[in-house]
Amino acid sequence: MAGIRAEVAGLREARRTEAPPRGDTGPAVAFVPTMGALHDGHLELVDRARELADIVVVSIFVNPLQFSDPADLERYPRDLEGDLACLEGHGVDLVFAPEAAELYPDGDPATRVTGGRAAQLFEGRSRPGHFDGMLTVVAKLLHAVGPDVVLFGQKDAQQVFLVSRMVADLTMPVRVEVVPTVRDADGLALSSRNRFLDPEARRAALALPAMLEAAESAADRGIDAVLAAAQSVLMGQDDVDLDYLAVVDPRTFLPVDDDYTGRATVLVAARVGGVRLIDNEPIYLGHA
């Protein structure tokens, strides 16, 4: 890697001096924003960024605005040295790893980006203020990095939707690239929180991808069948505390009507062994 920057001024200078002129084959700079605790899912984003751009920038920043519970913020895993080692060999040119005081010099910012109704549902309902904090820091990071393309994983489907809408609504000069969810061999979606699962909780957590598989298999019979099939997976699963199971229109991220047909996304969130996990799966409701 060419270097680590902890200050916006240093990042911008490196961005100016190290990025080559744009050509006709694609974007010059690709950006992968992360909160660290990197895993193979993040590396999939980085590798895709390397395919798309001449310069790859990765940020590592645990954003305090995204946490309504101070204890959850404190528990979030941090390992900058391990993250940098993880990125070695993946073609990263710059790592931006600021302290909170660099991005928020006056403490909590008075001006924030809000996500509207869609940001108040599902993850937004369970984690009040989470998405406003996420959108605010993503906007700041995009302004600091100035990329041509920014990459996110499909696993955080609500985040992807809200970032894409912010970019469109605010006419930000960046393209959002969505990379499919990366899963372990057992089907569990990769997440920084998976490291907190003990072996028993890990086995119980496989109920989430099993619910999505059951939902997809019932998609041609409509939403009631989808929800019933997914919920049936939890029968006898006392170790899985379901937060929500929903089917949304990917164009609005609002729940679909009972007679809806077409492309949809099944969302699930649950606590397993005290660890909160989320997952999702695109489906086609009704006959394709």
Side-chain angles (χ1 to χ4, degrees), residues 117-119 121-122 154 157-162 164-165 223 226-227 245-267 280-285:
R117 181 184 174 194
L121 302 174
F122 313 119
Q154 174 62 30
Q158 194 170 6
Q159 172 178 272
V160 167
F161 170 80
L162 290 168
S164 298
R165 192 174 65 179
I223 185 171
V226 164
L227 295 175
L245 170 66
V247 181
V248 301
D249 183 338
R251 297 167 299 182
T252 64
F253 227 84
L254 301 178
V256 299
D257 296 329
D258 290 344
D259 58 353
Y260 177 89
T261 60
R263 297 188 184 280
T265 304
V266 184
L267 310 174
N280 69 88
E281 182 69 27
I283 63 171
Y284 192 97
L285 274 175

Side-chain angles (χ1 to χ4, degrees), residues 19-48:
R22 296 189 190 187
D24 296 328
T25 58
V29 178
F31 175 43
V32 180
T34 83
M35 293 211 301
L38 302 183
H39 50 67
D40 285 348
H42 294 109
L43 295 182
E44 190 80 8
L45 298 176
V46 172
D47 290 344
R48 178 58 177 155

Side-chain angles (χ1 to χ4, degrees), residues 130-155:
H130 167 73
F131 284 122
D132 289 355
M134 178 276 295
L135 291 171
T136 299
V137 79
V138 169
K140 290 175 71 71
L141 290 170
L142 290 174
H143 181 65
V145 176
D148 301 285
V149 58
V150 61
L151 294 92
F152 290 92
Q154 174 62 30
K155 187 185 82 70

Side-chain angles (χ1 to χ4, degrees), residues 3-184:
I4 303 170
R5 301 293 187 275
E7 297 180 352
V8 172
L11 174 70
R12 287 175 175 162
E13 179 60 26
R15 166 72 168 81
R16 282 194 296 269
T17 58
E18 296 185 30
R22 296 189 190 187
D24 296 328
T25 58
V29 178
F31 175 43
V32 180
T34 83
M35 293 211 301
L38 302 183
H39 50 67
D40 285 348
H42 294 109
L43 295 182
E44 190 80 8
L45 298 176
V46 172
D47 290 344
R48 178 58 177 155
R50 182 73 278 163
E51 294 174 356
L52 293 173
D54 304 302
I55 294 293
V56 174
V57 181
V58 174
S59 67
I60 298 174
F61 178 63
V62 180
N63 177 31
L65 298 190
Q66 291 176 225
F67 294 83
S68 57
D69 182 358
D72 197 23
L73 172 61
E74 184 64 27
R75 281 194 303 266
Y76 196 87
R78 296 166 174 83
D79 180 13
L80 181 58
E81 184 175 340
D83 289 339
L84 295 177
C86 186
L87 293 173
E88 286 291 343
H90 287 270
V92 176
D93 298 283
L94 290 168
V95 174
F96 183 42
E99 297 292 335
E102 170 65 18
L103 289 184
Y104 308 120
D106 298 317
D108 284 357
T111 301
R112 301 195 186 200
V113 180
T114 61
R117 181 184 174 194
Q120 298 170 7
L121 302 174
F122 313 119
E123 288 304 289
R125 184 186 63 231
S126 298
R127 305 167 66 185
H130 167 73
F131 284 122
D132 289 355
M134 178 276 295
L135 291 171
T136 299
V137 79
V138 169
K140 290 175 71 71
L141 290 170
L142 290 174
H143 181 65
V145 176
D148 301 285
V149 58
V150 61
L151 294 92
F152 290 92
Q154 174 62 30
K155 187 185 82 70
D156 297 298
Q158 194 170 6
Q159 172 178 272
V160 167
F161 170 80
L162 290 168
V163 168
S164 298
R165 192 174 65 179
M166 175 184 72
V167 165
D169 286 350
L170 300 184
T171 322
M172 293 181 170
V174 64
R175 178 169 65 85
V176 179
E177 174 87 1
V178 183
V179 175
T181 300
V182 180
R183 300 182 180 276
D184 264 330

Side-chain angles (χ1 to χ4, degrees), residues 196-272:
F196 297 129
L197 296 169
D198 62 30
E200 183 176 351
R202 171 84 191 205
R203 286 190 293 272
L206 297 180
L208 272 69
M211 292 174 70
L212 297 176
E213 184 177 353
E216 185 177 22
S217 69
D220 62 344
R221 292 182 279 131
I223 185 171
D224 288 343
V226 164
L227 295 175
Q231 289 170 338
S232 70
V233 174
L234 292 183
M235 293 181 63
Q237 288 277 4
D238 296 335
D239 295 334
V240 180
D241 182 14
L242 184 66
D243 183 351
Y244 60 78
L245 170 66
V247 181
V248 301
D249 183 338
R251 297 167 299 182
T252 64
F253 227 84
L254 301 178
V256 299
D257 296 329
D258 290 344
D259 58 353
Y260 177 89
T261 60
R263 297 188 184 280
T265 304
V266 184
L267 310 174
V268 63
R271 284 194 173 274
V272 185

